[in-house]
Amino acid sequence: MPSFRAPRGTRDLLPETRAGLSRLESLARSLAARYGYRELEIPLFEQTAVFERGIGEATDVVEKELFRLAPRSEEAESWALRPEATAGVVRAYVQHGMQTWPQPVKFSVVGPMFRYDRPQAGRYRQFWQWDVEAIGDPGPGVDAEVIELGRRFYVEAGVPGVQVLVNSIGDSVCRPVYLDRLKEYFGRHEAALPELELRRLQVNPLRLLDSKDPAMAALVAAAPRITESLCEACATHFEAVRAHLDALGVAYRVEPTLVRGLDYYSRTAFEYYRSGAEGQQQALGGGGRYDGLVELLGGRHTPAIGFALGLDRVLLALEEVGAEVARETPPLAFVVGADPADTAARLRVAAMLRAEGLSVRVELVPRKLGRQLESASREHAHFAIIIGDELTDGNVQLKDLEAGTQRLVPLTELAKDLARAAKSHHHG
Ligand code: AMP
């Protein structure tokens, strides 16, 4: 047993997995650029109050899962690692006076999030998300744009059969009325409620609908539906969002019990699931409209919508269906030498080619030429560059390992020669 291990709930991403995550990060960035969502970087930690106020103190994320940093005695403020990006993005929006920018502003954030969760499959204490936010547009068009963007991500990432679930959770006009009906309903069934749910009934009754307790399934199914309690403005908005999704050809299912765990959401709420896995804890991603958040964090009332897609779960899904998570590109060339000891000559040639932007490996262990060539094949290099006596005349042997041919090339021509070959082949 090693003395030190990665902290519980975290994992080292070994090169293959890291390459898979990088592919998803690049895809996220390229989609963000394609859709006009500009990349933003915010700190990995914020004042705890940003999350307490922005997410809600009665949510699991703040109450149980917030990674609080131990304060140093001289610090008056308390800090926490970000459990999600939205609160920080909105804090930045207010701080930098972005309400004076042309609205809406559209952002994309890719990076790690932290939740002090009970670790299990697909649930980590450090995990990666792609987050987009469109601030300053009341919708409904932008709601559909965001939902379609998330779906496009899964399509291009190669996750098969992703389902879109949508709901409207009302606004400050109709939700309180609905919450009263919900409290009244669950109050009548108090005796049947498990302890955790009883507490939710007091502090955050909407979350009862989100209960993962099997004992709650029948009660939840028969509970009053928010879609039947929407005020006219919310009902019209929801209808228009669905009309936009229809126009885009995005298939979705209206799921009246979909409520999202965070307090600041209003109207549109949505989640992405793999078919057959709906209703379990394992949403691939989700989002919604949060028209009240900017104001909560000290700005003017500003409508906004966004999503957070969990990248770890996409990697797990790809593994599960046996899809290739990432392909590492083999090098274009591998430098070997007839004199095992002359590592300097090999390294010099490799450095020269690398400076020209070519992907080149080099054997720096003083092995016999035959063993060096074996390394070149093992790494699937297209070419081996063999350094021998010809070097005194400024030449090297260029061996095409795929075609099995070999010819003498002047060192001065080598980079150009290889670059030409690289263009007609697919090398990194
Ligand atoms: P949430 O804000 O909780 O809806 O999270 C959005 C997405 O982030 C989820 O759908 C998951 O894909 C991912 N996610 C949330 N928490 C975790 C976690 N502890 N570990 C891995 N992924 C997570």
Side-chain angles (χ1 to χ4, degrees):
M1 272 285 269
S3 328
F4 297 110
R5 308 179 67 85
R8 202 164 114 78
T10 71
R11 63 216 201 284
D12 301 309
L13 303 181
L14 301 188
E16 212 175 305
T17 315
R18 179 62 248 197
L21 179 61
S22 296
R23 184 178 75 89
L24 296 180
E25 289 170 326
S26 313
L27 174 60
R29 291 196 168 98
S30 101
L31 280 172
R34 220 188 290 170
Y35 281 64
Y37 287 69
R38 300 166 73 198
E39 191 162 15
L40 187 73
E41 196 69 61
I42 50 169
L44 297 188
F45 60 96
E46 297 271 353
Q47 275 178 270
T48 312
V50 169
F51 304 124
E52 284 171 346
R53 209 179 296 171
I55 299 175
E57 293 187 56
T59 55
D60 282 356
V61 168
V62 169
E63 203 176 50
K64 295 197 232 134
E65 299 167 7
L66 205 57
F67 240 107
R68 295 167 195 274
L69 301 177
R72 298 164 66 127
S73 51
E74 71 271 20
E75 296 271 14
E77 280 166 320
S78 82
W79 312 94
L81 294 180
R82 62 184 191 189
E84 48 105 66
T86 309
V89 169
V90 170
R91 192 266 311 137
Y93 177 89
V94 174
Q95 179 180 339
H96 300 282
M98 293 183 200
Q99 70 273 8
T100 65
W101 298 11
Q103 304 290 297
V105 292
K106 297 183 173 182
F107 291 125
S108 158
V109 179
V110 185
M113 306 294 158
F114 305 85
R115 290 185 196 177
Y116 196 75
D117 222 349
R118 193 164 52 80
Q120 51 189 289
R123 199 163 278 281
Y124 308 105
R125 289 182 171 172
Q126 176 177 351
F127 58 98
W128 276 261
Q129 278 185 346
W130 176 33
D131 174 273
V132 309
E133 311 291 349
I135 308 177
D137 182 344
V142 73
D143 302 44
E145 179 182 73
V146 167
I147 294 171
E148 194 271 336
L149 171 54
R151 195 200 54 152
R152 177 116 303 271
F153 175 78
Y154 295 117
V155 169
E156 297 200 9
V159 188
V162 171
Q163 285 228 322
V164 182
L165 271 46
V166 298
N167 194 22
S168 173
I169 57 171
D171 63 6
S172 53
V173 175
C174 53
R175 199 163 49 211
V177 180
Y178 174 69
L179 287 180
D180 283 344
R181 291 183 59 194
L182 205 58
K183 272 190 233 165
E184 192 266 325
Y185 168 81
F186 280 111
R188 266 190 282 130
H189 296 91
E190 217 171 51
L193 296 184
E195 201 178 304
L196 173 70
E197 312 300 338
L198 262 179
R199 218 180 88 68
R200 283 183 169 155
L201 180 59
Q202 304 309 322
V203 295
N204 193 352
L206 209 54
R207 299 253 11 235
L208 284 164
L209 297 177
D210 209 16
S211 173
K212 305 296 185 252
D213 194 323
M216 293 287 292
L219 264 185
V220 168
R225 310 197 141 192
I226 188 147
T227 34
E228 285 153 14
S229 293
L230 296 179
C231 60
E232 202 168 320
C234 285
T236 307
H237 184 271
F238 191 35
E239 222 165 86
V241 171
R242 284 178 290 160
H244 278 81
L245 290 174
D246 293 337
L248 288 173
V250 173
Y252 59 87
R253 207 181 76 216
V254 175
E255 177 50 68
T257 62
L258 193 173
V259 288
R260 309 279 302 147
L262 312 180
D263 268 356
Y264 54 70
Y265 285 100
S266 52
R267 293 193 171 168
T268 312
F270 56 95
E271 275 181 342
Y272 302 95
Y273 279 93
R274 284 176 61 206
S275 320
E278 306 92 339
Q280 295 175 15
Q281 220 154 14
Q282 303 284 22
L284 285 172
R289 179 161 280 290
Y290 50 92
D291 293 350
L293 183 58
V294 178
E295 207 171 355
L296 258 180
L297 291 181
R300 280 206 300 262
H301 180 80
T302 311
I305 186 164
F307 67 50
L309 311 186
L311 303 184
D312 307 75
R313 291 196 188 159
V314 171
L315 287 177
L316 285 173
L318 290 174
E319 267 165 32
E320 249 178 71
V321 299
E324 195 174 41
V325 170
R327 185 181 305 155
E328 292 184 66
T329 27
L332 177 63
F334 199 105
V335 184
V336 299
D339 175 3
D342 198 356
T343 48
R346 297 203 283 280
L347 189 55
R348 194 160 54 80
V349 171
M352 175 192 88
L353 297 171
R354 287 164 170 171
E356 294 297 324
L358 301 173
S359 156
V360 173
R361 308 273 192 282
V362 54
E363 180 63 81
L364 295 174
V365 178
R367 296 196 168 103
K368 290 210 183 89
L369 179 59
R371 299 282 305 281
Q372 295 183 48
L373 284 165
E374 280 169 24
S375 305
S377 307
R378 195 176 47 241
E379 297 219 14
H380 304 289
H382 186 167
F383 295 97
I385 295 156
I386 308 167
I387 297 171
D389 297 340
E390 305 91 339
L391 193 64
T392 38
D393 301 325
N395 295 319
V396 293
Q397 292 286 348
L398 182 61
K399 186 178 166 101
D400 187 326
L401 295 170
E402 286 173 14
T405 55
Q406 185 167 327
R407 62 198 164 87
L408 203 64
V409 177
L411 212 47
T412 49
E413 298 292 310
L414 187 60
K416 232 187 298 155
D417 215 303
L418 282 169
R420 210 175 312 122
K423 251 193 218 128
S424 52
H425 288 261
H426 223 77
H427 292 287

